[in-house]
Amino acid sequence: FVGTELDGCENYVPFVFRKSAGLSYIAKGYELLSESGLCFAPEHLVPRGLKECKKHLDESVSDPSLRISDLAQMRGVSDVYFRKEFRQNYGASPLEYVKSRRIENAKLLLQTGLYTVTEVAFRSGFESSSYFSAEFRRMTGMSPREYANKHQLN
């Protein structure tokens, strides 16, 4: 299936292939990848409504009032279903995706040297500078201040 329109997670392998004895090992591989979060759907297989929610999420990633439940409601599904659908299609939970995007934005702001760590935290969409610092350290292996000192552009 690699390189075809079926190149994606287990959910996108046709039922007939999943049930055939000769190809069941392929389906099991897709299933394991899907459960691990390492596999995600090709963009052309992502449901349009989910793409719209992700676009909205991308546009408002630094808004601290952004709530996953609002995106689920926008999609017309439950929070649980939305999280599952997002992970299956994008390889990360909505919360992991948002935190990752916010940390990437924070890295850019820290590199400029124009803002304090607290300002970067709030400009990136975090509601607490201590939570921001803890997440930044968890995701990058260094504190925001260490990162700024090491990667400053000027």
Side-chain angles (χ1 to χ4, degrees), residues 6-139:
L6 298 177
D7 186 8
C9 291
E10 178 268 337
N11 293 352
Y12 302 100
V13 177
F15 180 78
V16 66
F17 290 127
R18 285 188 276 145
K19 293 299 180 188
S20 80
L23 297 176
S24 64
Y25 68 94
I26 293 174
K28 186 63 178 169
Y30 278 111
E31 183 178 325
L32 292 173
L33 283 172
S34 181
E35 289 171 1
S36 72
L38 297 174
C39 182
F40 52 92
E43 190 63 25
H44 69 281
L45 294 178
V46 176
R48 182 180 14 240
L50 186 59
K51 285 181 191 177
E52 291 168 6
C53 286
K54 183 177 175 285
K55 182 180 178 199
H56 177 73
L57 191 154
D58 287 335
E59 292 168 352
S60 53
V61 73
S62 12
D63 178 2
S65 67
L66 177 68
R67 300 286 178 254
I68 302 307
S69 58
D70 296 338
L71 294 171
Q73 187 176 18
M74 182 176 137
R75 176 90 172 101
V77 297
S78 72
D79 293 6
V80 172
Y81 183 83
F82 181 77
R83 283 189 204 97
K84 180 180 178 183
E85 181 182 46
F86 194 94
R87 179 181 288 282
Q88 284 178 334
N89 285 280
Y90 293 112
S93 74
L95 183 59
E96 291 166 342
Y97 179 81
V98 167
K99 283 194 285 190
S100 174
R101 288 288 313 276
R102 287 177 175 172
I103 295 297
E104 290 305 313
N105 290 344
K107 286 179 180 179
L108 295 173
L109 292 172
L110 288 167
Q111 289 174 4
T112 67
L114 299 174
Y115 307 103
T116 67
V117 171
T118 301
E119 289 172 323
V120 168
F122 293 119
R123 286 177 177 269
S124 300
F126 289 90
E127 293 180 317
S128 156
S129 61
S130 59
Y131 178 66
F132 162 70
S133 293
E135 284 300 305
F136 194 95
R137 181 178 293 277
R138 186 182 68 77
M139 294 178 85

